[in-house]
Amino acid sequence: MRARLFLLVSLLLSLGSCKTKEALAPRCANAGALVKQVKNANGVVYYDSAQSSYFIRVPNSFDSHDLGYTCNLASNYQKTGLKVNFSGTYYQSDKQLGFVAGDKNYYLSLLSIQEQ
């Protein structure tokens, strides 16, 4: 009887102490501090010729967007105007560019991506 009670208490304690961790995408080389993680976000791929880099633009409002400069965008997604659904991690960026005053620039490490 004591053995069963001990097993039950041990099981409950071990279940209560489990914490799930979200997987982080590989960090971009020049990335700053972690800003946020996104799951199933919708955006559009663009190419910034001044930076020689692709980014995914995600609208926040009419005049505000997150621009995630990707460091691991697969070549089959490197198409300007391509609508995508993705998950990944945004990091602080040293890029001070923006196409609209409300744009925020980040480095974006992708965990997953698919065409919409």
Side-chain angles (χ1 to χ4, degrees), residues 21-81:
K21 285 190 175 182
E22 302 261 342
L24 288 177
R27 189 180 179 104
C28 295
N30 296 326
L34 184 141
V35 175
K36 62 183 174 180
Q37 291 181 281
V38 294
K39 286 185 181 180
N40 298 317
N42 294 317
V44 180
V45 175
Y46 291 97
Y47 183 73
D48 182 345
S49 58
Q51 299 295 314
S52 300
S53 181
Y54 283 91
F55 64 92
I56 299 176
R57 183 177 177 222
V58 178
N60 294 322
S61 67
F62 175 72
D63 61 352
S64 172
H65 307 88
D66 287 341
L67 306 182
Y69 283 82
T70 62
C71 56
N72 61 338
L73 183 63
S75 60
N76 54 320
Y77 292 102
Q78 295 179 1
K79 301 174 191 167
T80 295

